Amino acid sequence: MSLVNTIQKSIFSRPASKLFTLSLGIASLLSLPTLVYSSEITLGMSTALSGPAQALGKGVKLGVEVAFKEFNAESGNSGKKLSLKALDDGYEPKRAAPNMHRLAENKDILAVIGNVGTPTAIVSVPVANKEKIPLLGAFTGAGVLRKSPPDRYIFNYRASYAEETASMIDGILDSGIKPEEIAFFTQNDGYGDAGFSGASKALKNRGFDNIDSLIHGRYERNTTNVEAAAELILDSDIEPRAVIMVGAYAPCAELIKLVKEELPDVNFINVSFVGSRALKTALSDYAEGVIVTQVVPHFNSNLPAAKSYRVALEKYSKKNEPGFVSFEGYLAAQTFISGIKKVGGTLSRESLIDALESLKSFDLGVGPKAIYNADEHQASHQVWPTIIKNGEFQPFQWSEL
Amino acid sequence: MNRYFSLPQFSIKNLIALMVGISMTGIGVLYLVASSGNEKIISSQYEGSNALITESSVKQLYQYMTENIVRIHTLSQADSVDSLEKLGTRSALNEQLDSNVQIIREAASENAAIVIQLDKISGFSSEFVAREKKLLEAVRSVIDARNGKEAAAEEAYALGRKGQQLATKIQGVTAFESGKSKRKLKRLLKKSKALTWEFTLGELPLYNSVLEELSRKSANKSSGMQMSHVFSDLLLMLAEVQSATTHDELINLKENKANQLLTSSTKLLSSIEGEFAGHKKINPIVVELQALFTRFSELLSGSEGSVIQLRAKMLDSIHEEQIIAKQVEDLTGNMRSALNDLSLINQEIAQTTSHSANTAIQQSQFWINLVILVSMVTVTGLGFLIFQWISKPLARVVSAMKVINSGKADLTQRLPNASIHEIKVLSESFNGFVETLKETMSSVQSNASELGDLTQQLTSENHSLAQRTEQQSVSLQSTSELLEAVSEKVVLTQSAAGNALESSLKADEYAKQGKQRLDETVIAMGDIEESSKKILEVNTLIDSIAFEINLLALNAAVEAARAGEQGTGFAVVASEVRNLAGRSAASANEIKGLIDETVGRIRKGSEHLSRTDESIQHILSAVGDIDSKVEHIKDVTEQQRQGIHNINHAMEEVSSATQKNVTLVELTAEASANIDSGTASIREKVSNFKTSAAA
């Protein structure tokens, strides 16, 4: 009889334990939709905390964290606390995609905020859409985050690169510079493309169709191999008066140096993504007169958002000086905070999206009101040009060109 | 029939004990047969179930084996150390397989064929484990090699790309710098144009051609460009190494292509170094390039940790892995066939045991059937015996009782001897009771018949009384007629006897005397009437006696029912009946006496009547004396006639009295007849009790 028992045991014990595991699995699956976020609201971030774009990643992270600290302090002990879990992708799409998957799979992460970069965004956006995790306030103006109609899970704070370059074209042309006198220096990827196509469209709008005749130098991402592009600009039969730059600060600085040596009067106009402070540092003696368009107002301005940003930064991160990048992070965080304040019932990824879409018109304190609804997922369309004067970024008018 | 079963005397008690004994024996035997059969069946089934369990265990072994194959497959497909570690060093499945083999071995240790198969399986299992271990090592080494190679290749690729970029940078810088003078010249030319400072017409094309030459040189012959091409070749080399599938291919790549490429690259690099020795921008790039190149060379074809070396190692490991996988496959085949054999043997055992179980069931069924049959026969026999010994004798007693009850009480019948003690006692008691009853009834019968005889005598006496009364009546009739004649004669002599007044008076006196006599007769007749009444009373008495006899007969029946205290009760009843018979006899005597008295009285009456006749003779002679004087005493005669008429009338009265007497006698006779019929009834009733065998 012991034989029978032993065999029965050996037969039944395994399926039973399997069954148990299975039932646990089912139970955990069933509990998923009713997941309630604990008193701590955690947001994720996949950004460049190392590599050539680390200044941007760290800057945005700082702005977001400052805004969160400010919110946590305001909401008091009883309220929900915001926290940030940032992963490093080194501005590499190869690393950004697994990071996004990790964040999406972690059900404690409500949303992803302030990712830096266009090549990384190109891989992150599909993940966000597929995994149904909100991707908020990415530090990029690329069109991939700005589809029409917008992707449900993608929300932007800032103006697009196209809007930035378009505003540059308008400003340059308004200042009297001819379209033929405009040259382009762009990163040889989606980022550069986005900026260039925005400018091309603006030029076409202004009646200039011969885009291919314009000087367009490109460089390889993560290199400073800008000599060929510099040669192209310098060899041009028509001497350029303005170079629209869509690139990273190091190659941009390199190019500005090379070109300035031979053509000291050319205007260099960078998009916000270049990273104003890093560019200024890299340029050192060549910085004077370099123009950078911003998608945030000047951090030292008297706008309410700039004031509260400065106060918060002073309060929570004294060692860091105010800057455009961290201010953008701060503003991106503010749009998110406006969203969670609007959430009615249980806070979830979906309810957050619904809340953001129901914000309609809201004030971020940067002048014009921001708008979020089902057809509009971009809070700001404004571009603020700045110029480095006396070693500092200062507000700038295109007419000053 | 009875004599066939006249076995030694049994009591019901014994019989029941016998029946219970037989039944218990039957049940006992049945139990023994059934339980021994059951034991056989159970043991057969146990063996059968053992066989089945083993079969399921064999299936389990199959399962484990299949899972093991899957595991081996997963193992060989593993692409990381992590996933390998998840699979474990030794298969838990194998442990289960071994433990199951052990269980089967314990269960089937007596079956040599199974043990042989189990030994085989155990052997295969341990071989399997050994192979699995080797496979694990091979897979691990493949993974390690692949990982190492991939890491090295990745690093080499990154270095190659970087090298390319740096080379491009050198090329870019040289081109840019060499272009500087060209651009300067160009701008100078532009400027001079603008300032109307002119070259001679022939000089301008010369400058232009110089500018073009400068550009071409810097573009094509730049060492940076060459270096960039070298790095492209090296990256291509790297890709070739990665995709090499044989050692020969690898050796060829390393010894011919790679070494050649690296040598020429080193030369180029040193020439670049010389070329840009003092170049502020390019020199640091060259230094970086040299370090990068050294590392790249090592990564590509170094003796340890290079892509080529690791690729070779990986190929070796894959080869080994394939060999082991083949061995495992063969082993799996062997194991499968051993399991098949085990399953076949096991099925044979299962069939055999199920056959023996069937046989046991059949045997057991046969014995059970036999025992049931024997028990049935025995119980039927016993039932027949019970019928013969108990039911039948009892039925006989019952029918005998019924016969007595039905009225045809045959008291001569006797119950035969019975085999069963209790019934025998019952029969004997019944017989004794009937005997006693018979004797009683015999005496009652004889008494009743005596009574009947007496009553008949009484009747006949009565009859003669009646006859005599009849004669008396006739006599009275004739007397009356005579009186009529007298009356006529009186009428005849009326006229003649006118004077015979005296005689007539005398005659009148006689007539009065006669009348007195007749009165006396009437009284005597009344006495007779009284006697008759007494007879009636006696009659009633006899009636009551008859009743009491009847009652006694009833008592006798009750006594018969009791049967237990036989004899004595019946004796008492018998004596009572006898007494009653005596009294009946006495009454009969009394009746006889009375009848005698009656007869005497009637004689007296006759005498009186004859005296009356004499008186009338006297009257007639007196009348003759005065015949002559009749004329004279016509009137007297008339009176006489009147007187005779009165006599006549008196005679009629006598006649009617006599008539009444006759009626009385008839009534007496009727009563006597009643007594007679009562007695007859008694006799008849008593005669129902058949007291002699002859009747």
Side-chain angles (χ1 to χ4, degrees):
Chain A
M1 284 325 253
S2 65
L3 171 70
V4 181
N5 288 341
T6 319
I7 287 169
Q8 277 178 346
K9 260 183 205 164
S10 72
I11 290 169
F12 290 111
S13 62
R14 281 158 45 79
S17 67
K18 272 181 190 166
L19 199 69
F20 180 65
T21 328
L22 186 70
S23 63
L24 275 183
I26 289 166
S28 61
L29 274 175
L30 288 173
S31 68
L32 267 184
T34 55
L35 185 88
V36 176
Y37 291 94
S38 56
S39 63
E40 180 139 312
I41 301 169
T42 309
L43 275 83
M45 178 185 276
S46 174
T47 193
L49 300 176
S50 63
Q54 61 176 286
L56 301 177
K58 286 174 177 170
V60 174
K61 184 168 169 268
L62 171 69
V64 172
E65 280 172 344
V66 164
F68 281 7
K69 280 177 184 164
E70 184 189 40
F71 173 85
N72 291 345
E74 280 169 12
S75 70
N77 291 332
S78 57
K80 297 199 168 186
K81 302 291 178 202
L82 297 175
S83 69
L84 183 69
K85 182 186 174 75
L87 303 174
D88 182 18
D89 61 28
Y91 191 44
E92 285 291 343
K94 214 165 77 178
R95 292 170 69 188
N99 278 355
M100 278 302 286
H101 279 293
R102 262 178 71 193
L103 294 170
E105 278 160 20
N106 185 347
K107 298 299 169 190
D108 289 335
I109 303 286
L110 179 65
V112 175
I113 193 166
N115 287 9
V116 165
T118 302
T120 50
I122 287 167
V123 299
S124 297
V125 167
V127 175
N129 283 330
K130 190 171 172 257
E131 304 286 337
K132 295 182 164 52
I133 183 164
L135 177 58
L136 314 173
F139 190 86
T140 164
V144 68
L145 294 101
R146 292 167 174 80
K147 286 173 194 155
S148 181
D151 290 333
R152 176 169 166 82
Y153 296 96
I154 314 299
F155 283 81
N156 297 295
Y157 157 72
R158 56 142 66 203
S160 66
Y161 292 140
E163 281 168 325
E164 280 194 65
T165 49
S167 78
M168 285 176 192
I169 294 293
D170 287 340
I172 289 163
L173 294 183
D174 288 348
S175 72
I177 294 169
K178 290 175 189 153
E180 297 83 24
E181 292 172 324
I182 299 171
F184 288 90
F185 173 70
T186 64
Q187 188 168 295
N188 193 9
D189 65 3
Y191 165 46
D193 292 346
F196 182 71
S197 71
S200 302
K201 248 184 221 167
L203 280 169
K204 279 177 187 167
N205 284 345
R206 299 290 290 250
F208 183 79
D209 288 324
N210 200 5
I211 307 293
D212 290 344
S213 68
L214 296 177
I215 301 300
H216 186 185
R218 310 200 78 171
Y219 76 96
E220 196 183 339
R221 175 157 44 99
N222 280 348
T223 70
T224 55
N225 292 358
V226 300
E227 284 78 11
E231 269 190 288
L232 203 63
I233 292 163
L234 292 171
D235 273 347
S236 166
D237 288 338
I238 302 164
E239 202 169 279
R241 289 181 65 194
V243 179
I244 292 175
M245 307 181 84
V246 185
Y249 65 89
C252 283
E254 185 90 5
L255 184 104
I256 290 167
K257 284 178 189 173
L258 290 177
V259 174
K260 263 198 171 179
E261 288 219 336
E262 293 181 31
L263 298 172
D265 298 329
V266 177
N267 293 298
F268 296 96
I269 307 159
N270 290 274
V271 295
S272 56
F273 186 79
V274 76
S276 303
R277 192 192 316 230
L279 179 69
K280 192 186 80 181
T281 311
L283 285 171
S284 61
D285 296 344
Y286 296 88
E288 202 70 5
V290 171
I291 296 162
V292 179
T293 56
Q294 307 291 350
V295 289
V296 294
H298 198 285
F299 48 84
N300 278 331
S301 74
N302 286 327
L303 289 163
K307 280 182 185 168
S308 63
Y309 159 69
R310 290 198 300 271
V311 169
L313 190 71
E314 173 74 17
K315 196 169 179 184
Y316 300 109
S317 192
K318 209 171 179 176
K319 64 178 165 58
N320 287 295
E321 286 183 11
F324 294 103
V325 177
S326 63
F327 188 25
E328 185 176 339
Y330 179 82
L331 286 171
Q334 292 305 327
T335 58
F336 160 69
I337 287 165
S338 304
I340 53 164
K341 281 177 178 168
K342 194 79 191 286
V343 173
T346 311
L347 183 58
S348 70
R349 289 173 181 177
E350 295 299 324
S351 71
L352 174 65
I353 297 289
D354 294 339
L356 285 169
E357 285 192 343
S358 68
L359 277 172
K360 305 276 190 284
S361 172
F362 62 107
D363 192 4
L364 283 169
V366 293
K369 288 249 174 116
I371 290 170
Y372 266 166
N373 59 47
D375 297 322
E376 176 61 277
H377 280 196
Q378 184 178 309
S380 168
H381 296 271
Q382 190 98 343
V383 177
W384 290 268
T386 56
I387 190 163
I388 302 171
K389 262 185 189 168
N390 306 321
E392 291 294 332
F393 277 97
Q394 292 181 6
F396 168 75
Q397 301 295 321
W398 293 112
S399 55
E400 293 173 34
L401 274 175
Chain B
M1 200 73 164
N2 208 18
R3 65 178 175 277
Y4 296 112
F5 298 97
S6 58
L7 295 161
Q9 284 289 307
F10 279 117
S11 71
I12 291 176
K13 207 160 62 185
N14 294 346
L15 249 164
I16 287 167
L18 185 70
M19 272 193 76
V20 168
I22 289 168
S23 304
M24 291 310 277
T25 313
I27 289 163
V29 171
L30 209 59
Y31 173 76
L32 282 175
V33 169
S35 61
S36 84
N38 250 11
E39 234 164 72
K40 275 187 199 166
I41 291 162
I42 287 165
S43 73
S44 303
Q45 276 178 343
Y46 182 71
E47 283 168 34
S49 69
N50 259 1
L52 283 174
I53 287 160
T54 315
E55 185 63 22
S56 80
S57 301
V58 172
K59 277 183 186 154
Q60 192 73 30
L61 291 183
Y62 252 111
Q63 171 106 15
Y64 289 145
M65 197 189 74
T66 314
E67 281 177 41
N68 249 340
I69 294 165
V70 173
R71 182 186 137 80
I72 289 294
H73 186 70
T74 322
L75 204 76
S76 59
Q77 297 290 309
D79 54 1
S80 74
V81 180
D82 273 2
S83 57
L84 259 192
E85 270 165 10
K86 267 182 203 161
L87 286 165
T89 50
R90 189 207 191 281
S91 169
L93 286 168
N94 249 85
E95 279 168 26
Q96 273 169 330
L97 190 135
D98 287 349
S99 82
N100 264 46
V101 166
Q102 192 54 37
I103 288 162
I104 300 167
R105 196 190 291 277
E106 277 165 23
S109 59
E110 286 167 16
N111 192 310
I114 286 182
V115 169
I116 287 167
Q117 293 306 318
L118 290 174
D119 287 344
K120 270 192 194 171
I121 293 165
S122 290
F124 291 144
S125 176
S126 51
E127 211 180 325
F128 197 92
V129 171
R131 291 271 181 280
E132 188 185 41
K133 205 174 170 185
K134 276 195 175 174
L135 184 65
L136 202 73
E137 282 164 11
V139 172
R140 186 181 279 271
S141 121
V142 169
I143 291 168
D144 286 349
R146 187 191 289 137
N147 286 350
K149 185 213 76 183
E150 269 171 17
E154 202 173 325
E155 196 187 341
Y157 180 78
L159 288 174
R161 287 282 298 139
K162 185 75 184 168
Q164 240 180 354
Q165 284 170 3
L166 289 175
T168 310
K169 180 81 181 176
I170 291 169
Q171 192 266 330
V173 169
T174 48
F176 186 81
E177 282 180 352
S178 64
K180 254 186 184 173
S181 44
K182 184 197 76 175
R183 285 191 298 276
K184 203 171 181 180
L185 190 60
K186 210 174 166 185
R187 267 191 289 275
L188 274 170
L189 283 171
K190 264 190 188 174
K191 223 176 188 178
S192 67
K193 259 188 185 172
L195 294 168
T196 66
W197 184 83
E198 289 179 15
F199 287 88
T200 57
L201 207 66
E203 277 174 310
L204 192 60
L206 182 72
Y207 276 110
N208 275 338
S209 70
V210 168
L211 286 172
E212 271 172 29
E213 179 67 12
L214 273 170
S215 298
R216 197 164 51 81
K217 261 190 176 176
S218 65
N220 292 338
K221 289 197 173 175
S222 149
S223 42
M225 184 66 91
Q226 280 178 40
M227 196 67 216
S228 175
H229 288 156
V230 165
F231 271 106
S232 294
D233 289 345
L234 284 172
L235 286 172
L236 191 70
M237 178 84 218
L238 194 66
E240 276 183 72
V241 170
Q242 293 255 60
S243 60
T245 52
T246 64
H247 275 276
D248 291 348
E249 216 177 316
L250 273 176
I251 288 163
N252 183 43
L253 276 173
K254 187 181 176 180
E255 286 181 356
N256 298 324
K257 278 190 168 180
N259 287 351
Q260 209 179 328
L261 198 59
L262 288 171
T263 314
S264 64
S265 303
T266 315
K267 273 184 191 165
L268 182 62
L269 205 57
S270 55
S271 83
I272 291 171
E273 194 188 4
E275 189 183 346
F276 298 103
H279 197 288
K280 190 174 66 179
K281 253 188 178 175
I282 293 176
N283 195 40
I285 297 173
V286 173
V287 173
E288 198 182 343
L289 255 181
Q290 271 173 332
L292 188 147
F293 182 74
T294 313
R295 177 72 187 138
F296 185 89
S297 307
E298 237 172 77
L299 283 170
L300 183 66
S301 63
S303 58
E304 195 62 42
S306 71
V307 176
I308 289 175
Q309 183 256 331
L310 286 169
R311 179 70 195 171
K313 198 178 167 192
M314 191 181 149
L315 287 176
D316 286 345
S317 299
I318 287 171
H319 184 63
E320 198 186 344
E321 187 189 313
Q322 281 167 348
I323 290 168
I324 297 167
K326 180 73 177 66
Q327 285 172 340
V328 168
E329 201 180 301
D330 293 346
L331 199 58
T332 306
N334 290 340
M335 204 157 182
R336 185 177 284 131
S337 72
L339 279 171
N340 279 337
D341 289 349
L342 182 62
S343 178
L344 281 174
I345 292 164
N346 193 44
Q347 275 165 15
E348 262 172 44
I349 293 167
Q351 274 171 3
T352 318
T353 47
S354 98
H355 178 73
S356 70
N358 279 342
T359 313
I361 288 166
Q362 278 167 7
Q363 278 176 358
S364 174
Q365 194 60 50
F366 169 76
W367 282 109
I368 287 166
N369 287 347
L370 189 70
V371 170
I372 288 169
L373 194 70
V374 167
S375 302
M376 272 166 72
V377 167
T378 313
V379 169
T380 311
L382 270 172
F384 186 69
L385 282 182
I386 288 164
F387 175 71
Q388 280 297 334
W389 288 343
I390 299 172
S391 291
K392 226 172 170 184
L394 277 175
R396 266 189 231 118
V397 172
V398 169
S399 76
M401 295 283 234
K402 271 185 182 164
V403 166
I404 291 168
N405 218 23
S406 69
K408 287 181 182 171
D410 184 1
L411 296 177
T412 61
Q413 61 179 341
R414 290 294 178 275
L415 291 174
N417 210 353
S419 302
I420 302 301
H421 173 70
E422 287 85 348
I423 293 170
K424 193 183 163 206
V425 169
L426 178 65
S427 297
E428 281 168 1
S429 303
F430 181 81
N431 286 347
F433 159 66
V434 173
E435 184 61 39
T436 314
L437 192 63
K438 186 188 124 190
E439 280 165 14
T440 310
M441 281 306 150
S442 297
S443 68
V444 170
Q445 268 175 0
S446 66
N447 288 335
S449 115
E450 276 170 28
L451 180 65
D453 290 348
L454 289 173
T455 315
Q456 261 172 357
Q457 279 175 17
L458 176 65
T459 306
S460 69
E461 292 299 334
N462 232 356
H463 186 67
S464 59
L465 173 66
Q467 272 179 338
R468 279 188 287 270
T469 313
E470 192 77 22
Q471 282 168 359
Q472 190 184 0
S473 178
V474 170
S475 302
L476 279 172
Q477 193 67 41
S478 58
T479 310
S480 188
E481 279 167 7
L482 283 173
L483 277 173
E484 204 60 49
V486 168
S487 182
E488 276 172 20
K489 279 165 185 169
V490 166
V491 170
L492 285 169
T493 59
Q494 200 171 18
S495 52
N499 293 330
L501 192 57
E502 225 175 289
S503 304
S504 285
L505 281 170
K506 277 181 184 171
D508 194 25
E509 210 175 67
Y510 287 132
K512 277 178 183 168
Q513 279 176 354
K515 195 193 168 203
Q516 200 179 339
R517 296 301 189 307
L518 282 172
D519 284 342
E520 282 174 327
T521 307
V522 168
I523 290 161
M525 290 309 157
D527 286 342
I528 291 165
E529 195 184 13
E530 231 171 62
S531 299
S532 295
K533 271 180 189 166
K534 276 182 182 171
I535 290 164
L536 262 176
E537 280 171 18
V538 170
N539 193 25
T540 313
L541 204 64
I542 291 164
D543 212 3
S544 77
I545 291 161
F547 178 74
E548 277 181 38
I549 290 166
N550 210 16
L551 210 68
L552 270 172
L554 219 63
N555 281 344
V558 172
E559 287 302 320
R562 282 185 188 165
E565 299 290 317
Q566 327 81 346
T568 49
F570 274 99
V572 174
V573 175
S575 81
E576 281 298 319
V577 171
R578 258 197 307 277
N579 258 351
L580 275 174
R583 277 168 72 185
S584 299
S587 295
N589 280 336
E590 221 177 319
I591 291 164
K592 197 185 173 189
L594 280 169
I595 298 300
D596 284 343
E597 212 180 313
T598 308
V599 170
R601 294 272 168 90
I602 288 165
R603 266 181 204 146
K604 240 179 175 175
S606 294
E607 279 169 18
H608 285 306
L609 282 174
S610 62
R611 258 178 237 156
T612 309
D613 201 30
E614 279 172 21
S615 296
I616 286 164
Q617 285 302 326
H618 284 307
I619 293 163
L620 277 169
S621 64
V623 167
D625 284 345
I626 59 177
D627 204 21
S628 52
K629 298 169 195 175
V630 170
E631 289 296 11
H632 295 300
I633 54 168
K634 221 187 209 171
D635 292 338
V636 177
T637 310
E638 183 59 35
Q639 287 171 357
Q640 223 175 0
R641 199 192 48 95
Q642 199 70 40
I644 287 163
H645 182 74
N646 288 343
I647 291 164
N648 234 358
H649 184 72
M651 278 305 285
E652 271 169 16
E653 282 179 345
V654 170
S655 181
S656 83
T658 309
Q659 206 60 48
K660 277 178 186 167
N661 219 3
V662 166
T663 313
L664 282 171
V665 169
E666 273 171 5
L667 281 171
T668 307
E670 207 177 310
S672 175
N674 280 345
I675 290 166
D676 196 29
S677 74
T679 314
S681 162
I682 290 166
R683 193 187 290 143
E684 193 191 315
K685 286 225 167 89
V686 173
S687 74
N688 279 343
F689 292 93
K690 193 181 170 192
T691 51
S692 68

